[in-house]
Every structure is written in structure tokens, then in C-alpha cells.
Amino acid sequence: MMKLKNPNSRGVTPLLTRKFDNFLKSLSDVLIDITALEVNTMVVEQITAHKFIPWEAYRDIYLISREELTRQEIDPSLHSRYLNLRKDLEMEYCLFLLEERVSELDAIALKEYTGVLTNSGGEIDPAETKLPNPLKPRTNPAKEIEKIQTVLDDGRFLRSLRKLSELKAVLDNRDRFLKTAITTSEPTDLICAQSIIQLDGKIINRYDRQLLGHEHQELILNIHKQGVAAGEKQWHGLLNFLVNLIESLISQRGSISGVFNRRN
Amino acid sequence: MGKDEQKLTKKYLPISAKKCLHLDTYIRIEEWKDKQGQGQSRFILFNLDQQLLDGILQAKAEKLRLEISEGLLTELRSYALVDGESRLQSGLTFCTAYRFELGRKRVPSAAEEIILRSVISLDGEIINQIRRDSLQDGTWCLAIATAHHWLISQLLYQLPIQAREVPQRVAWGLALFIVALIAILCIGLAIAHPWLWIIFAGLVWLLQFWGHRLLNQFVPWIYLQLLWQMRSPYPIVRKIVRQLLTQLVYSDTTEKN
């Protein structure tokens, strides 16, 4: 990768140019990441207009640990789901690192990564974490912060972080509800229904166990179906826009001969 | 369509001359800044009430189109691509709020509440959230979900663009400007050799000819650069950039319907 071959370029190129270049790179990368259309339907207690600020999202998920959850008096029934988010963040970071420098790593270093990736338990030992620390940078604060900025600049990592942050917001709301509600009604803040439409046309539907026998089962399924049908159209528009733009950028880079051909 | 329904449409819906539904005032791009004023987060909010809800369902049934102003579309395009920190957008958020009327049994006072929320990621993952208590009224709930999705579809469907041809006069202007600069620089020489003016004239023509074609080639690039610059903290810069952006492209409606 260019970034690794030329480490000095970061300091030399003006910030804006670097940001724009990174933006262009993410823009062309996003098309590679498209494998399927996935529509999730969730029934939630409350919709707070949740804001996504990458740095905050990273910090908040990084901080999740068993001690922290107990300290914040998070409802014990939610602990494992919170810890799972932290584990997913760790995995995403490992994948990011692997992609960046898989060719440079030796067998021992690779094993360290696969250790995280194959961990099937719900928790990762805090001592083993590879994530850069946003709060108390261990040895070199500037370096830790730069590491976080680099990973946040990665389009794929950022999208994964966003999804994790969405799930965390739902858990936070759920926790708040459990603390204030007099009666604990059925827990619904999960993905109730999920449909995945693969590029080859195959459709996979998954439904949560809670949905079966739910008093509004029919209605939720109808809403989900509606979401899937609309989702296809919505994404089509968005994708058209992206492809259109990327296409015109590529064709513009084509030879100057295009300049001559235009007239006719 | 019944007569009553027709009346309803005429009474409540802001329908433009092109037979499109015009709801710009009910669609807002909301913005937050964090405490340091650096991190930003945006989302699109639809503000509905019972009249609008009925109107939207009616428009959908009649296959009317949602008319969106170029200004709002440009804002949307910028939002679809660039997040608050100048990175590629990680997810577009759309919320539908509903204004309950006084006296409705579930809500004690007139209040705006977000009923539905959709997050659409560029890589094809969509999260739809719905408030649990809105499930109580099944018909209403389905209706508002229909309106919510229709609005999003309409907005996203109108995003694709085609580059506009750069006006010839821009190329002429640029060419004249460059040649005038050259002429001023060697004014002494030009006065001594009047035939040089013929060369200057030829140069102007050549420059506009090539310039026009080159400019056209770079429209997408310039467009993307400007779209990315829409995040400027100065409202006046944003206004100018938005104006330029609407000049550079037009909505690509070839694939509609």
C-alpha cells in the first residue's frame, strides 16, 4: 500500500488533500464491499435521534468491560450483549490490521491475530487487546491517537463501527427502559427480522425467536416485508448515484483523445 | 378515485404544476455538533401529521412523484457521500416524526415523536427501527411505515446526476482572459508588430476550443471536489458552492419509473 511504502507523505501533503484522497479511495473501495443487500427490522422502546461521531463511538465501545458494566450498573441481562460488541470491535480491528500488512507478518505475529479472530468466547482479555487506547495512551499518546485516526479513516472499519454503535444505542435504550419501567414487558430490542438478498438473487430470511408468538407478529412481519421491498428501491437509487459518479470520474481520466471525439 | 378523495388531495397537498408533490418544508436535514464543535452528525427528518400522511399515501397511489428542490437535492447528495468529518458517509439516517393531535389517547399533549428510523449504509446494509408502542394501532402503523419508505425511496431515486455541458461562453471568457494577460505582458512587442494581433486572435479561438473540451472532461471531478467542500463552516461559502453545484449537473431522470 502507498501509505506504508511512503510513510513521510503523511506529513508533507496538506491535510485537505490527504483527506480528499482518502475520501476518493473509500469511495472506490465501497463498491468492492458490496456483497448483498441486508435489511434488518428492529422494534425498539424509543427512538432517540442517535448521533454517530466516530471517535466517541470508538471510545465508548473500547471502554466496555465487565468491571465497567458493573460500575455503570448496567442491567446484568444485557452484559453479554455489551461484551459481544467489544469483541466485535476487536475483531474488526484485527481484520483491518491483517488487510493492511498481511504480507509483512511472520507466522508468530499471524498467530496472535488469528487468536483474536478464532476466539469463540464472549470476552477478550483486556491485556491481549490490540486496539489503540483512546483514553490513556500507553507509551506514546500521539502514536496511539494517530493509529485511531488511521483506522477511522478506513471506510470498511467505519461502517462496521457505525453498526456496532447502532446496536450499542439500542442496548443503552433498553437498559434505560429496564431501569425505569415498572413492569418488564417482553424484551424486544433485538433484530426481529432480517432479510439478505444476495447478488445472485438468493434470499435468506431470519426471524428472531421472540417474534414467533409475539402479539403483533403479523404486523411486524408486514412492516419488515415493506422495508425489504422499499429497501431494494432505496438502495438502487443510492447505488445508481455512486456508480454514476465513479463511472464519470473514471471516464474523465481516460485519454485526452476523448477531447477530440466529443464533438461528433 | 372517489370524489371525496380528490377533494382531499386538492385541499391538503402542495401539488405543483408538474403534478408532483412538493414537501420541501417538511423535510429537514438536522445537524449536531459535539462539544468541541468538531465532530458532526447529520440526519434527515420527515415531519408528518395526519393530513400529510393521508396526502402521501394518496400521492403514492396515484403514482405522483415527490418534487425536491435542486438546493435540497444538492444537500442530499453531499450528505449521501460525505459525513460530518469529511470522510465517506458510513450511513444515511432518515427519521420520521409524527405530530400527534391533542386528545389522542396515547399521547397527553401535542408532541412530535420519532416513530421510525432507517439507517442505510453504502455497502447495502439497512437497519429499520420502529417504536414498540406504535404497533398498537396496526393500520396507522403500516400507513406511516409506507409513507416513511416512500419518502426515502423518492429522495434516493432522484440522486443520480448527469454532468451538464460547460457553457461555451465560459471557455471564451477564460481564453480571452489568458490571451489578454499575454498581450499585456508583451504589449511593446505587439505595438511594434501589429500582425501579432492576428496570432492573438487565433490563440483565443484555439484556447476556447480546447478549453471547452477540457473543462467538460473535468466537470465530474470539479463536482465531486465541490460536493466535498460543502462542509465549509461558513454559510456564505456553502451557499456559493451549492449554487455552483446546481449549475454543474442536472438530475438524471432517464431511468425514472
Side-chain angles (χ1 to χ4, degrees):
Chain A
M1 286 205 114
M2 285 295 283
K3 237 189 275 170
L4 292 175
K5 274 183 206 156
N6 190 0
N8 295 331
S9 67
R10 289 203 120 207
V12 180
T13 40
L15 183 73
L16 268 181
T17 320
R18 182 159 59 81
K19 277 202 141 183
F20 188 67
D21 286 348
N22 180 62
F23 167 74
L24 281 185
K25 190 184 166 294
S26 322
L27 184 61
S28 49
D29 280 354
V30 71
L31 291 184
I32 303 166
D33 279 352
I34 294 169
T35 48
L37 173 66
E38 185 187 309
V39 181
N40 300 292
T41 299
M42 289 165 132
V43 177
V44 296
E45 296 302 339
Q46 196 191 2
I47 297 178
T48 42
H50 159 71
K51 56 183 188 287
F52 177 68
I53 291 170
W55 174 272
E56 288 182 13
Y58 178 86
R59 182 197 58 202
D60 292 350
I61 298 177
Y62 177 90
L63 284 177
I64 296 173
S65 67
R66 208 166 268 284
E67 295 76 48
E68 190 61 26
L69 291 174
T70 323
R71 199 183 63 80
Q72 286 185 13
E73 296 173 349
I74 301 280
D75 196 274
S77 65
L78 301 172
H79 280 197
S80 64
R81 279 156 74 186
Y82 269 106
L83 290 168
N84 256 331
L85 294 180
R86 176 64 173 77
K87 195 183 98 181
D88 287 345
L89 185 72
E90 187 88 38
M91 281 172 100
E92 288 296 339
Y93 188 63
C94 268
L95 285 172
F96 165 77
L97 288 180
L98 275 175
E99 195 194 348
E100 286 273 288
R101 41 179 138 125
V102 70
S103 53
E104 296 172 14
L105 296 171
D106 53 19
I108 303 162
L110 261 180
K111 216 174 170 183
E112 264 185 62
Y113 288 106
T114 46
V116 175
L117 293 175
T118 51
N119 183 342
S120 54
E123 260 177 278
I124 282 178
D125 186 356
E128 270 179 33
T129 184
K130 296 225 174 306
L131 290 169
N133 189 335
L135 289 188
K136 291 179 209 139
R138 271 159 283 190
T139 45
N140 186 345
K143 215 175 166 196
E144 290 283 295
I145 287 171
E146 199 190 299
K147 266 190 196 168
I148 301 178
Q149 289 298 351
T150 312
V151 71
L152 292 182
D153 274 343
D154 183 72
R156 187 179 308 164
F157 185 86
L158 197 63
R159 282 191 293 277
S160 306
L161 179 64
R162 177 159 201 144
K163 283 157 208 165
L164 292 178
S165 148
E166 289 293 338
L167 291 173
K168 182 173 175 295
V170 168
L171 286 181
D172 290 347
N173 266 338
R174 178 79 198 144
D175 179 59
R176 220 167 294 141
F177 179 78
L178 283 175
K179 276 177 187 150
T180 52
I182 309 148
T183 53
T184 48
S185 53
E186 81 273 38
T188 41
D189 287 358
L190 270 179
I191 292 177
C192 272
Q194 181 182 64
S195 292
I196 299 172
I197 302 156
Q198 292 177 350
L199 292 183
D200 58 7
K202 212 166 153 191
I203 300 176
I204 303 164
N205 291 314
R206 292 196 194 120
Y207 302 107
D208 200 87
R209 208 179 299 145
Q210 303 162 25
L211 184 60
L212 306 171
H214 190 285
E215 56 170 327
H216 299 300
Q217 181 187 325
E218 273 304 303
L219 181 61
I220 295 174
L221 280 177
N222 271 337
I223 288 172
H224 177 66
K225 256 188 239 163
Q226 204 180 39
V228 174
E232 279 187 89
K233 265 190 221 152
Q234 292 158 358
W235 197 51
H236 186 77
L238 195 56
L239 203 59
N240 249 348
F241 173 54
L242 275 188
V243 172
N244 220 332
L245 206 62
I246 294 171
E247 221 174 48
S248 56
L249 281 175
I250 293 168
S251 69
Q252 157 221 287
R253 269 198 223 162
S255 62
I256 294 290
S257 66
V259 177
F260 297 99
N261 297 338
R262 258 207 166 190
R263 189 150 221 196
N264 304 318
Chain B
M1 190 173 62
K3 254 189 179 167
D4 286 349
E5 281 169 321
Q6 261 178 359
K7 222 158 117 198
L8 184 86
T9 316
K10 273 185 196 138
K11 192 173 166 194
Y12 296 133
L13 288 186
I15 292 182
S16 72
K18 281 183 269 173
K19 283 219 93 181
C20 293
L21 191 59
H22 195 87
L23 297 178
D24 267 21
T25 41
Y26 305 97
I27 302 171
R28 278 209 312 263
I29 299 183
E30 299 273 302
E31 196 166 323
W32 276 293
K33 285 193 174 108
D34 68 359
K35 283 169 205 130
Q36 291 91 39
Q38 288 179 330
Q40 288 179 354
S41 184
R42 287 182 287 173
F43 73 98
I44 293 162
L45 181 68
F46 306 130
N47 274 312
L48 304 186
D49 55 24
Q50 195 56 46
Q51 291 179 357
L52 278 168
L53 184 57
D54 292 341
I56 289 169
L57 295 182
Q58 185 72 35
K60 184 177 186 273
E62 284 180 39
K63 293 203 161 53
L64 292 184
R65 224 184 60 178
L66 181 67
E67 190 187 17
I68 311 156
S69 67
E70 276 302 319
L72 182 61
L73 262 180
T74 306
E75 292 273 0
L76 269 171
R77 287 182 185 123
S78 157
Y79 173 61
L81 286 181
V82 194
D83 76 357
E85 292 170 38
S86 302
R87 300 182 174 113
L88 182 70
Q89 183 59 267
S90 54
L92 285 87
T93 309
F94 297 90
C95 294
T96 292
Y98 187 85
R99 184 178 286 279
F100 290 102
E101 277 138 45
L102 273 163
R104 216 187 135 102
K105 57 178 185 285
R106 291 196 291 118
V107 183
S109 64
E112 240 176 43
E113 282 184 48
I114 298 178
I115 306 293
L116 284 148
R117 180 166 176 270
S118 295
V119 182
I120 303 176
S121 161
L122 296 187
D123 65 354
E125 199 172 309
I126 300 178
I127 299 174
N128 290 323
Q129 294 178 329
I130 184 153
R131 266 178 76 117
R132 194 166 61 89
D133 55 7
S134 63
L135 295 173
Q136 300 300 334
D137 185 345
T139 328
W140 175 78
C141 185
L142 266 178
I144 196 159
T146 309
H148 173 79
H149 288 303
W150 184 79
L151 286 171
I152 301 175
S153 305
Q154 287 287 318
L155 291 185
L156 295 182
Y157 220 63
Q158 293 184 45
L159 287 185
I161 41 165
Q162 283 294 325
R164 217 185 271 277
E165 184 123 336
V166 176
Q168 197 80 39
R169 60 173 191 276
V170 175
W172 275 110
L174 268 175
L176 273 171
F177 178 72
I178 294 167
V179 176
L181 267 185
I182 299 172
I184 291 166
L185 283 176
C186 45
I187 188 79
L189 206 64
I191 292 170
H193 307 278
W195 53 267
L196 264 177
W197 292 105
I198 302 168
I199 293 185
F200 285 148
L203 204 59
V204 170
W205 189 87
L206 267 178
L207 269 179
Q208 65 80 23
F209 180 82
W210 290 83
H212 186 235
R213 275 144 192 82
L214 262 177
L215 277 175
N216 273 325
Q217 293 282 306
F218 281 98
V219 165
W221 179 258
I222 299 167
Y223 181 81
L224 200 61
Q225 273 276 3
L226 287 174
L227 208 59
W228 191 70
Q229 299 285 347
M230 278 276 282
R231 307 302 312 129
S232 166
Y234 308 104
I236 180 78
V237 177
R238 265 150 76 168
K239 209 175 160 191
I240 296 170
V241 169
R242 191 168 58 215
Q243 203 56 41
L244 276 171
L245 282 167
T246 51
Q247 295 297 314
L248 280 174
V249 298
Y250 58 91
S251 295
D252 178 16
T253 48
T254 45
E255 271 191 81
K256 295 278 132 54
N257 297 319

